[in-house]
Amino acid sequence: MSSIIPLFSSALMVCSEKYTLSADEKDWIINAGFGENTGNSKSNSDAVLREPQLSGINTFVQRQIKTYTQSLLKLEKSVELYITQSWLNKAEAEQFHPLHSHPNSILSGVMFLSENGSHPPIRFHRANPLFPLELNYTELNDFNATCRWFEPVCGQLILFPSTLLHDVAQNKTDNSRISLSFNTFVRGDIGNTDSLTALKI
């Protein structure tokens, strides 16, 4: 039987464990200050995971990042990823998230925080075409699809390489679509002395 190899694929992790928001966390999130953003609004703070009221979410996120980097990527323990920025997103009726990626970040994440309504999914897009042709397929799979989406589930965290393009279509409900996003960077010893790429960050 032929072997199918997912060559150089992007590792997106939908965390199996979901976070259960407490009443105090829900209250803090709902009452957080928001400002205008392209297509939607974002929290005035870009360090919400440093807030004492969200320490439980922060602990959960840090644990999932460690699972991704050590169990999935097999990074050496001398290297760790830390959160650089974290913010809340809010999309009211007819608002959306434009297509974008996250520069100056290694690994990004999004956690869905809304409980009510059938909100639009987050969609990830292939940056480079599989072939230099527009071909028609009898069915779509992870090898030929140009877009993959994930329905929002409250408390579910998705981790992905920050270079992945993603967006969210217009919110067609009357309920706010709220999510948490964050970026990370690396610290520790990277590269190799023998290949003259060693760097301590």
Side-chain angles (χ1 to χ4, degrees):
M1 183 175 179
S2 300
S3 296
I4 305 299
I5 310 297
L7 191 64
F8 309 132
S9 58
S10 296
L12 180 147
M13 187 171 86
V14 179
C15 301
S16 58
E17 180 185 0
K18 297 180 183 65
Y19 186 83
T20 302
L21 293 166
S22 69
D24 289 342
E25 289 168 336
K26 293 176 185 177
D27 185 64
W28 191 93
I29 290 166
I30 290 172
N31 292 294
F34 286 83
E36 289 187 10
N37 193 25
T38 304
N40 55 75
S41 59
K42 65 179 178 66
S43 60
N44 296 324
S45 170
D46 70 342
V48 296
L49 287 178
R50 296 180 192 169
E51 297 290 341
Q53 297 88 338
L54 301 187
S55 61
I57 299 178
N58 182 48
T59 299
F60 173 81
V61 166
Q62 298 282 1
R63 186 169 69 250
Q64 302 305 323
I65 291 174
K66 188 173 182 180
T67 297
Y68 185 102
T69 56
Q70 294 189 3
S71 300
L72 180 64
L73 291 188
K74 305 296 183 182
L75 285 181
E76 294 183 354
K77 292 185 178 180
S78 61
V79 177
E80 67 171 328
L81 264 59
Y82 65 97
I83 295 172
T84 55
Q85 291 179 294
S86 55
W87 64 96
L88 298 173
N89 309 285
K90 183 191 291 185
E92 304 288 6
E94 304 303 318
Q95 291 190 324
F96 63 98
H97 295 256
L99 186 67
H100 66 286
S101 61
H102 292 218
N104 298 332
S105 176
I106 304 296
L107 182 72
S108 293
V110 60
M111 178 188 283
F112 303 109
L113 302 177
S114 299
E115 293 182 310
N116 300 320
S118 299
H119 294 117
I122 184 170
R123 303 181 298 195
F124 292 88
H125 301 267
R126 186 191 295 272
N128 299 307
L130 183 61
F131 304 112
L133 300 168
E134 282 194 12
L135 301 174
N136 298 318
Y137 303 100
T138 57
E139 64 179 76
L140 296 177
N141 56 39
D142 289 338
F143 295 98
N144 60 29
T146 59
C147 177
R148 177 75 185 269
W149 58 89
F150 299 88
E151 299 293 338
V153 176
C154 186
Q156 187 162 69
L157 173 64
I158 296 178
L159 298 173
F160 55 93
S162 301
T163 53
L164 280 182
L165 290 169
H166 54 286
D167 68 353
V168 178
Q170 279 188 331
N171 181 7
K172 296 298 185 180
T173 76
D174 294 326
N175 302 308
S176 300
R177 183 191 189 278
I178 302 176
S179 61
L180 164 75
S181 295
F182 58 86
N183 288 333
T184 66
F185 205 68
V186 64
R187 62 184 166 206
D189 298 313
I190 66 174
N192 183 277
T193 302
D194 293 336
S195 60
L196 302 179
T197 59
L199 180 63
K200 187 175 184 65
I201 299 179

